[in-house]
Amino acid sequence: MLNNASQALRDNMPAVAFGVLCAACMGGLLGIGAVRETSTALADQQASLRQTLTSAQAVVPKAAGSTLSLPGPDSLALISATIPALLQRYEVGLIDVAFSPTRAHGKVGRSTQVVLRLRGTYGNVKGALQALLVNHTGVALQSLSFRRSKSTDPTVDAEVRLDVFYREQQ
């Protein structure tokens, strides 16, 4: 029986090959139709997103000029004076403080780097730093690192690097 089926397949090989080829072509044509439908849906979605983005951009007002306003030259002294009281309020110890030389930024702006070494609980150090950044314009956090002596120790040693930006005396 196997020989008869094998012989029949060999005798009708051109017809079988033609049938397989026709089935493959039909599957390909159906696949192309599905790809076209997906492509059309994606194009419609892209047009909708583009229209939404254009509408959103129209709502956002264009900036006429720079709205950056630097504090005056006395801001560094003011920040230096408020740090001890702020740290005391948050129960954070000040181990060391260092100021780097002043750098010029353009014709009007200047900055000084302040490095604070602090000791306290993580939450208290974070709270004091947040209060400092929120209450003083022109202060930017450059880096922050925490260290614990033991993983179970509630206190951390923190090194905070801040840039204090201000206007020059005019």
Side-chain angles (χ1 to χ4, degrees), residues 140-162:
L141 179 63
Q142 186 183 70
S143 69
L144 173 63
S145 64
F146 291 100
R147 287 186 204 90
R148 288 185 200 267
S149 57
K150 293 186 285 184
S151 62
T152 58
D153 194 359
T155 61
V156 295
D157 290 327
E159 182 178 281
V160 181
R161 291 182 182 271
L162 303 168

Side-chain angles (χ1 to χ4, degrees), residues 41-81:
L42 287 174
D44 292 344
Q45 186 179 13
Q46 180 184 19
S48 173
L49 289 172
R50 186 171 283 132
Q51 182 179 4
T52 302
L53 179 62
T54 303
S55 299
Q57 288 173 339
V59 173
V60 176
K62 301 283 186 215
S66 175
T67 59
L68 180 62
S69 175
L70 293 176
D74 58 339
S75 67
L76 185 58
L78 177 65
I79 292 167
S80 297

Side-chain angles (χ1 to χ4, degrees), residues 7 26 29 32 40-41 69 81 112-113 115-116 129 132 134 149 160 170:
Q7 185 61 38
M26 291 301 289
L29 290 176
I32 289 174
T40 302
S69 175
T112 297
Q113 186 180 77
V115 179
L116 302 169
L129 183 58
L132 180 68
V134 166
S149 57
V160 181
Q170 294 197 18

Side-chain angles (χ1 to χ4, degrees), residues 1-64:
M1 174 114 168
L2 188 58
N3 282 340
N4 289 341
S6 215
Q7 185 61 38
L9 183 61
R10 274 189 227 124
D11 291 344
N12 294 316
M13 186 56 83
V16 170
F18 181 73
V20 169
L21 185 61
C22 286
C25 288
M26 291 301 289
L29 290 176
L30 292 175
I32 289 174
V35 168
R36 283 187 182 150
E37 287 177 18
T38 303
S39 175
T40 302
L42 287 174
D44 292 344
Q45 186 179 13
Q46 180 184 19
S48 173
L49 289 172
R50 186 171 283 132
Q51 182 179 4
T52 302
L53 179 62
T54 303
S55 299
Q57 288 173 339
V59 173
V60 176
K62 301 283 186 215

Side-chain angles (χ1 to χ4, degrees), residues 76 80 97-105 110-116 142 160-166:
L76 185 58
S80 297
V97 63
F99 296 89
S100 70
T102 301
R103 294 183 308 228
H105 299 279
R110 298 189 80 69
S111 73
T112 297
Q113 186 180 77
V114 180
V115 179
L116 302 169
Q142 186 183 70
V160 181
R161 291 182 182 271
L162 303 168
D163 280 327
V164 179
F165 295 91
Y166 53 92

